[in-house]
Amino acid sequence: MQSILTSSYAVHFNHEAYKTLNKHLSRSNYSKIFVLVDENTHEHCLPIFMAQIDGEYDFEIIEIEAGEINKNIHTCTQVWEVLSELNADRKSVLVNLGGGVITDLGGFVASTFKRGIDFINVPTTLLSMVDASIGGKTGVDLGALKNQIGVINQPEMVLVITDFLKTLHERQLQSGYAEMLKHGLIQDIKYWNRLNTIRNFDKLDQEIYDSIVIKNKVVLEDPTEQNLRKILNYGHTLGHAIESYFLDSEDDELLLHGEAIAIGMVLETYLSHKLMGLSLNDMHAIKTAFVKRYGKKDISKNDIDNILPLLKFDKKNSHGEVNFVLLKTIGMPVIDVTVPSDLLKEAFAYYAE
Amino acid sequence: MQSILTSSYAVHFNHEAYKTLNKHLSRSNYSKIFVLVDENTHEHCLPIFMAQIDGEYDFEIIEIEAGEINKNIHTCTQVWEVLSELNADRKSVLVNLGGGVITDLGGFVASTFKRGIDFINVPTTLLSMVDASIGGKTGVDLGALKNQIGVINQPEMVLVITDFLKTLHERQLQSGYAEMLKHGLIQDIKYWNRLNTIRNFDKLDQEIYDSIVIKNKVVLEDPTEQNLRKILNYGHTLGHAIESYFLDSEDDELLLHGEAIAIGMVLETYLSHKLMGLSLNDMHAIKTAFVKRYGKKDISKNDIDNILPLLKFDKKNSHGEVNFVLLKTIGMPVIDVTVPSDLLKEAFAYYAE
């Protein structure tokens, strides 16, 4: 597959990815190569990855605990300290081998260590392949608030190796698929329709490629999120609040990012119908597609009362207003829509019915 | 005094500074204005500063504890949390009113909060006026290691209000003066000679201005510290190690940044004589100037044995080598010099004799 060019680096795929990495390492004269993993990618992905590296380099493996709950400043401090102890310098490189927690946190750690060292992202989950591979967003959570601390900074390259998807459970694949469905909803009704026909995830290479192309096109047009790029937040305003709430709650069953975003998209589809004229048919079709794939989560009145106040922490807000991305039609989003608060509760009722 | 233009913002002085700030605030439509202070600038500088603000804005004051010992990620987390609680959003601005700890830490906090909000630096110490006002370095310490975590990011503007110097003790003024002496040593022998004639710090406006011009010229030529900018680290390779060591030690008497750098400059002047042909006369003249101003600190053999290993954390290093900036003559520095380790001990002996 052809590499995808962003404004400052390229996303390389599979065989080509390893070839480009080997060329880059042999040319870069890095003082040391650090690889950030969690216990899962350490066991399942690192051996596959290392087997493809030609030549002898000074490697150090840094393992952190898996899970969104560890995507925080405390974990960053641990990684910064290990980098210091292992004599990382400005000519070192950090390879982030893992899902979104690893690439977001690792990108932030590298961007801030000695005011910035090189990093390379190797996403191993479907979610991080289609979402974190473009856009240069790095960061960590602050308490329950998602991605409150971070910077925009670009990796040297992103390597998408779809073989890693075989190491994932069905539920993790579905979580990533939610972001792909979002790319369809905000930009391309044909892509949305095609994705809805797919039940078997064995051969997703082309769909992953298409998703990255869509996201890249949006980010290239508006790198600093002044306007167009905000459309990528479809489903995320309520989705993030829901994810934050359940991350912090006593609820036993953790909600994955894509699962929270899927709920957010159903809710924001209702708002789109009410405020932007999205047709009743499309609204129902979107809800049906998501509920079929993700089931329905019980969200109590008490849950909702705790979720809604979290909207005020959304990074798109300013001057105390919550700004939503909504849909006019599938493929045609509108940004910066303010939503009356009674409609928000109606949206939850629609989701539940 | 005329404003000094950097690559992306301007440094404004005194009356002009307040005028420009008021114009900026009235145009920017910030959702909220946060002012970061420590207990000293809260008491002594904030009332002076606030009295000059025209118009009604939504201000929030955030106070952190004074001192280099608090320039760490823990303090950042506290400030991030307060910003969140007080509903800071991407259209908020952070005004950093204080010395280098406040401007370095506040710059980092702003650069990483929701992936970056505006910030304005108002240095209140001589050190931060002549050093932190140019270059965009933000950051905090990691344990005893100085400025290990940070980013390069530029403020909206820097306001140098020399009235604030009246709130400082003589010792703090002398600490800042060390960076001005450094600017002389690395770029301008006439400026160095002029600074050495000054004992009374009542009217330093012109000297501060000249120092900022020198630093700005260097940073404009090499913003990313590939080569020329490294000269600003004169005295800092050993100076930072000394500062880190005494910050972390049981030593009762805390060493100020400029005091540590002054020792570093004497040591690196010895290395310059030994390796770069700096004349014996100049070496003695430089040592005499610094010792006259700063006295001499007792540094034991045990201290030295603990200071030297810290050199490996210097941010200029790569591939395990410690890189020094040395002087050929006053005003003519050389970068990337590797120094044999026995010379380092000799340098301490020269300082002590």
Side-chain angles (χ1 to χ4, degrees):
Chain A
M1 277 172 140
Q2 234 190 317
S3 301
I4 297 172
L5 292 180
T6 76
S7 59
S8 67
Y9 65 93
V11 182
H12 306 284
F13 294 83
N14 299 327
H15 174 68
E16 185 65 26
Y18 286 123
K19 220 174 100 185
T20 311
L21 175 66
N22 278 313
K23 208 184 289 172
H24 180 74
L25 292 183
S26 80
R27 281 181 188 167
S28 298
N29 190 25
Y30 285 123
S31 58
K32 232 174 206 184
I33 301 171
F34 292 86
V35 186
L36 186 69
V37 292
D38 62 29
E39 64 271 27
N40 301 321
T41 60
H42 200 164
E43 184 182 343
H44 300 295
C45 303
L46 187 65
I48 300 172
F49 180 77
M50 293 301 280
Q52 299 288 332
I53 306 291
D54 302 334
E56 291 293 311
Y57 302 102
D58 197 354
F59 275 98
E60 299 278 3
I61 312 302
I62 304 178
E63 184 185 306
I64 63 172
E65 274 182 70
E68 181 77 25
I69 196 91
N70 299 304
K71 189 176 142 181
N72 55 35
I73 282 290
H74 179 69
T75 306
C76 291
T77 302
Q78 292 176 324
V79 180
W80 285 322
E81 283 172 352
V82 172
L83 286 171
S84 268
E85 280 159 26
L86 297 176
N87 301 324
D89 61 40
R90 282 189 179 158
K91 298 285 183 194
S92 301
V93 62
L94 182 65
V95 177
N96 300 311
L97 180 71
V101 172
I102 292 283
T103 56
D104 284 7
L105 182 146
F108 181 65
V109 163
S111 302
T112 52
F113 184 74
K114 296 186 190 242
R115 300 203 186 92
I117 64 172
D118 279 2
F119 65 103
I120 292 170
N121 283 346
V122 189
T124 59
T125 64
L126 184 56
L127 180 62
S128 58
M129 286 178 192
V130 298
D131 192 34
S133 59
I134 300 283
K137 287 189 175 178
T138 76
V140 295
D141 304 339
L142 184 69
L145 302 174
K146 298 259 309 163
N147 301 321
Q148 289 282 299
I149 308 306
V151 295
I152 300 278
N153 192 27
Q154 312 298 333
E156 295 304 298
M157 60 178 66
V158 171
L159 310 177
V160 173
I161 294 155
T162 53
D163 261 359
F164 290 139
L165 298 178
K166 293 178 188 148
T167 67
L168 299 180
H169 298 296
E170 168 77 13
R171 198 178 152 200
Q172 287 174 294
L173 291 169
Q174 289 289 9
S175 172
Y177 209 68
E179 291 286 352
M180 296 166 68
L181 289 163
K182 181 198 74 182
H183 289 146
L185 282 179
I186 58 173
Q187 283 285 280
D188 186 345
I189 190 168
K190 281 185 195 162
Y191 181 62
W192 159 257
N193 287 332
R194 174 154 55 99
L195 290 179
N196 277 313
T197 65
I198 296 175
R199 296 286 142 197
N200 179 328
F201 287 163
D202 285 352
K203 280 183 193 159
L204 276 184
D205 283 24
Q206 188 58 49
E207 284 68 35
I208 292 169
Y209 191 91
D210 294 347
S211 233
I212 296 175
V213 167
I214 290 176
K215 178 155 187 187
N216 189 40
K217 200 173 133 243
V218 172
V219 171
L220 277 177
E221 266 190 60
D222 175 25
T224 58
E225 200 163 326
Q226 299 304 304
N227 37 63
L228 182 67
R229 185 168 173 174
K230 293 181 184 171
I231 68 173
L232 295 169
N233 291 303
Y234 188 65
H236 282 60
T237 309
L238 282 158
H240 268 163
I242 292 167
E243 188 181 7
S244 288
Y245 170 70
F246 285 108
L247 188 67
D248 220 28
S249 79
E250 301 290 301
D251 196 329
D252 286 342
E253 194 208 349
L254 203 69
L255 209 56
L256 298 182
H257 175 73
E259 293 168 345
I261 296 316
I263 300 170
M265 284 191 275
V266 176
L267 298 170
E268 295 179 17
T269 294
Y270 177 83
L271 302 175
S272 300
H273 170 63
K274 285 289 174 179
L275 295 172
M276 291 293 125
L278 181 77
S279 76
L280 201 70
N281 269 351
D282 281 348
M283 176 177 80
H284 288 323
I286 292 170
K287 179 179 168 185
T288 305
F290 281 114
V291 171
K292 203 163 146 194
R293 209 174 267 284
Y294 299 96
K296 219 185 265 184
K297 169 112 185 143
D298 278 328
I299 304 179
S300 71
K301 196 188 158 301
N302 178 50
D303 292 337
I304 297 169
D305 288 344
N306 285 297
I307 288 165
L308 293 180
L310 295 176
L311 291 177
K312 72 173 177 185
F313 297 108
D314 192 82
K315 290 188 293 303
K316 292 186 304 307
N317 297 347
S318 72
H319 297 85
E321 299 224 312
V322 183
N323 292 321
F324 283 82
V325 180
L326 298 180
L327 298 178
K328 260 177 139 74
T329 63
I330 294 174
M332 196 182 289
V334 189
I335 62 169
D336 293 336
V337 186
T338 313
V339 174
S341 57
D342 52 336
L343 268 194
L344 296 173
K345 293 197 176 179
E346 279 185 27
F348 278 98
Y350 170 70
Y351 172 72
E353 82 191 12
Chain B
M1 278 173 139
Q2 232 191 319
S3 302
I4 297 173
L5 292 179
T6 76
S7 58
S8 66
Y9 65 94
V11 183
H12 306 284
F13 294 83
N14 298 327
H15 174 67
E16 184 65 26
Y18 286 123
K19 220 174 101 186
T20 311
L21 175 66
N22 278 313
K23 209 184 290 172
H24 180 75
L25 292 183
S26 79
R27 282 180 187 167
S28 298
N29 190 24
Y30 286 122
S31 59
K32 232 174 205 183
I33 301 171
F34 293 86
V35 186
L36 186 68
V37 292
D38 62 29
E39 64 270 29
N40 301 321
T41 60
H42 199 163
E43 184 182 344
H44 300 295
C45 303
L46 187 67
I48 301 174
F49 180 77
M50 293 300 280
Q52 299 288 332
I53 306 291
D54 302 334
E56 290 294 309
Y57 302 101
D58 197 353
F59 275 99
E60 299 278 2
I61 311 303
I62 304 178
E63 183 185 306
I64 63 173
E65 275 181 70
E68 180 78 26
I69 196 93
N70 298 305
K71 189 176 143 183
N72 55 35
I73 281 291
H74 178 68
T75 306
C76 291
T77 302
Q78 291 177 324
V79 181
W80 285 321
E81 283 171 353
V82 173
L83 286 170
S84 268
E85 279 159 25
L86 296 176
N87 301 323
D89 61 39
R90 281 188 180 159
K91 299 284 183 194
S92 300
V93 63
L94 183 65
V95 177
N96 300 310
L97 180 71
V101 172
I102 292 283
T103 57
D104 284 8
L105 183 146
F108 181 66
V109 162
S111 302
T112 53
F113 184 74
K114 297 186 191 241
R115 299 203 186 92
I117 64 172
D118 280 1
F119 66 103
I120 291 170
N121 283 346
V122 189
T124 59
T125 64
L126 184 57
L127 180 61
S128 58
M129 287 179 192
V130 298
D131 191 36
S133 60
I134 300 283
K137 288 190 175 178
T138 76
V140 295
D141 304 338
L142 183 69
L145 301 174
K146 296 260 309 163
N147 301 321
Q148 290 281 299
I149 309 305
V151 294
I152 299 279
N153 193 27
Q154 311 298 333
E156 294 304 298
M157 59 179 64
V158 171
L159 311 177
V160 173
I161 295 154
T162 52
D163 260 359
F164 290 140
L165 297 178
K166 292 178 188 148
T167 68
L168 300 180
H169 298 295
E170 167 79 13
R171 197 178 153 200
Q172 287 174 295
L173 291 170
Q174 289 289 7
S175 172
Y177 209 68
E179 291 285 353
M180 296 166 68
L181 289 164
K182 180 197 77 182
H183 289 146
L185 282 180
I186 59 173
Q187 284 284 281
D188 187 343
I189 189 168
K190 281 186 194 159
Y191 182 61
W192 159 257
N193 287 332
R194 173 153 56 99
L195 291 178
N196 277 314
T197 64
I198 296 176
R199 296 285 141 198
N200 179 330
F201 287 162
D202 286 350
K203 281 184 194 157
L204 276 184
D205 283 24
Q206 188 58 49
E207 284 68 34
I208 292 169
Y209 191 90
D210 294 345
S211 233
I212 296 175
V213 167
I214 290 176
K215 179 156 186 186
N216 189 39
K217 200 173 133 243
V218 171
V219 171
L220 278 177
E221 266 189 60
D222 175 27
T224 58
E225 200 164 324
Q226 300 305 302
N227 37 64
L228 181 68
R229 185 168 173 175
K230 292 181 185 172
I231 69 173
L232 294 168
N233 291 303
Y234 188 65
H236 282 61
T237 309
L238 282 158
H240 268 163
I242 291 167
E243 188 181 5
S244 288
Y245 170 71
F246 284 108
L247 189 67
D248 220 27
S249 79
E250 301 291 301
D251 196 329
D252 286 341
E253 194 209 347
L254 204 69
L255 209 55
L256 298 181
H257 175 74
E259 293 168 344
I261 298 315
I263 301 171
M265 284 192 274
V266 176
L267 298 171
E268 296 180 16
T269 296
Y270 178 83
L271 302 175
S272 299
H273 170 63
K274 284 290 174 180
L275 295 172
M276 290 293 125
L278 181 78
S279 76
L280 200 70
N281 270 352
D282 282 347
M283 175 176 82
H284 288 323
I286 293 170
K287 180 178 166 185
T288 305
F290 280 114
V291 171
K292 201 163 148 194
R293 209 173 267 283
Y294 298 96
K296 219 187 266 186
K297 168 113 185 140
D298 278 327
I299 304 178
S300 70
K301 197 188 158 301
N302 178 49
D303 293 337
I304 297 170
D305 289 343
N306 285 297
I307 289 166
L308 293 180
L310 295 175
L311 291 177
K312 72 174 178 184
F313 297 108
D314 191 82
K315 291 189 291 304
K316 293 186 305 305
N317 296 347
S318 73
H319 298 84
E321 300 224 312
V322 182
N323 292 320
F324 282 83
V325 180
L326 298 180
L327 298 177
K328 261 179 139 74
T329 63
I330 294 175
M332 196 184 288
V334 188
I335 62 168
D336 292 335
V337 186
T338 314
V339 174
S341 57
D342 51 337
L343 269 194
L344 297 173
K345 293 195 176 179
E346 280 184 26
F348 278 97
Y350 170 70
Y351 173 71
E353 83 192 11

